[in-house]
Amino acid sequence: MLNTFLKGEKGTRLRFMGMLLSAILVLLSVFTLTQKGLNFGLDFTGGYLTEFTTSQSVDLKELQSFIAKNHNGEFELTAQGNSHFQLREAPSASTTANSLDWQSAVIQNDDINAQVLSSAYIGSQVGDELFDQGCLAMFTAMIAVMIYLAVRFEWRLAVGSVVALVHDLILVLGLFSLLQIEFNLTVLASLLAIIGYSLNDSIIVGDRVRELLRVQSNNVLSPATIINNAIKSTLTRTLITSGTTLATVASVWLLAGAPLQGFAIALFTGIVVGTFSSICIAATLPELMGLSAKNYEVKVDAHTQTLLDMP
């Protein structure tokens, strides 16, 4: 590996440096996850969910500040419209006294004049079931991806794509653990979207590598050069696709509000690291495992070879 790094082309050296950087980030993400864990939202931990309306439009930040004065625990306030709000309380904060205090305050305030529509408790058992089902869905998606790659690609390219996929998920989870961003069902859904996006990006590069390896069956070019040429030929398409997708996700992040912020952050991060890993891992790891044009040579038995050699 070191010899390839020192003697390779500039593109090859950049790919190896990127893979080294990815390995460091994965180790840091795993360390962060083991030390800090994830900040699970009420979808998983349970708590009270209260819906209420106000008689007139109220600014979300002003309403949040007002409720904070009458609430002793942590809560999350989201706007469903100009006068429709949802308040979520963590189990440690969702005591009867707390609920009565802030509800009485918003109901009795003349500027707010709130009316409580519903108040329901989400048990931790429901949260555990949702988490288990979400993890099962992600595990099923990963198995389906592995089966697809095993059928479509030579095993070295398949392994590179799977490692790149796992890399993307670990980095996104590591970021959420490091910043302690709330991890809820929408974020879990974004992880499933990242699986699909990362796989698509790796397949584009992998398909091009396979095509060039088949053309270079006479071994004129080295595998490193072939992989570099494959990345160059797909780079423009990859950047345009990633750029337009990032612009859309960034709009959701900035304009959709708090309920979709975690989803947008996860998807934005996943697209960035997915594009990076499709070049530095999905295309580089197979090279380290000995991928070459010989893997795509057509093998014939002795009888067939005899027939081909006959005049």
Side-chain angles (χ1 to χ4, degrees), residues 196-206 238 242 271 274-276 278:
Y197 189 91
S198 177
L199 176 63
N200 176 70
D201 218 11
S202 297
I203 286 176
I204 291 174
V205 177
T238 298
S242 300
I271 292 171
T275 303
F276 181 78
S278 65

Side-chain angles (χ1 to χ4, degrees), residues 257-308:
L260 290 178
Q261 191 173 57
F263 173 86
I265 292 174
L267 202 53
F268 190 95
T269 307
I271 292 171
V272 172
V273 298
T275 303
F276 181 78
S277 66
S278 65
I279 296 173
C280 296
I281 297 178
T284 306
L285 192 59
E287 179 186 349
L288 293 178
M289 293 188 293
L291 181 69
S292 67
K294 293 181 180 180
N295 301 125
Y296 290 95
E297 290 179 352
V298 178
K299 297 181 180 180
V300 295
D301 55 29
H303 177 68
T304 306
Q305 185 64 48
T306 302
L307 294 176
L308 291 174

Side-chain angles (χ1 to χ4, degrees), residues 246-269:
L246 284 175
T248 304
V249 175
S251 299
V252 174
W253 186 353
L254 297 175
L255 303 176
L260 290 178
Q261 191 173 57
F263 173 86
I265 292 174
L267 202 53
F268 190 95
T269 307

Side-chain angles (χ1 to χ4, degrees), residues 2 24 31 39 93-94 96 101 106 119 130 137 155 183 190 209-210 217 240-241 267:
L2 181 60
I24 294 173
F31 177 78
N39 178 25
S94 54
T96 303
D101 285 344
V106 296
S119 183
L130 290 173
W155 70 270
F183 188 90
S190 72
V209 170
R210 182 178 58 177
S217 58
I240 291 175
T241 304
L267 202 53

Side-chain angles (χ1 to χ4, degrees), residues 143-215:
I143 295 298
V145 165
M146 291 179 185
I147 295 174
Y148 171 76
L149 290 173
V151 173
R152 185 179 180 92
F153 287 130
E154 197 269 343
W155 70 270
R156 295 173 182 83
L157 285 172
V159 169
S161 298
V162 171
V163 172
L165 186 56
V166 175
H167 159 274
D168 299 342
L169 294 177
I170 290 177
L171 288 193
V172 173
L173 292 175
L175 177 67
F176 271 72
S177 176
L178 178 65
L179 302 180
Q180 286 296 288
I181 303 172
E182 182 181 334
F183 188 90
N184 51 34
L185 282 177
T186 59
V187 177
L188 186 60
S190 72
L191 294 181
L192 296 175
I194 290 170
I195 290 175
Y197 189 91
S198 177
L199 176 63
N200 176 70
D201 218 11
S202 297
I203 286 176
I204 291 174
V205 177
D207 266 337
R208 190 58 179 158
V209 170
R210 182 178 58 177
E211 291 172 6
L212 294 182
L213 285 172
R214 284 175 174 172
V215 172

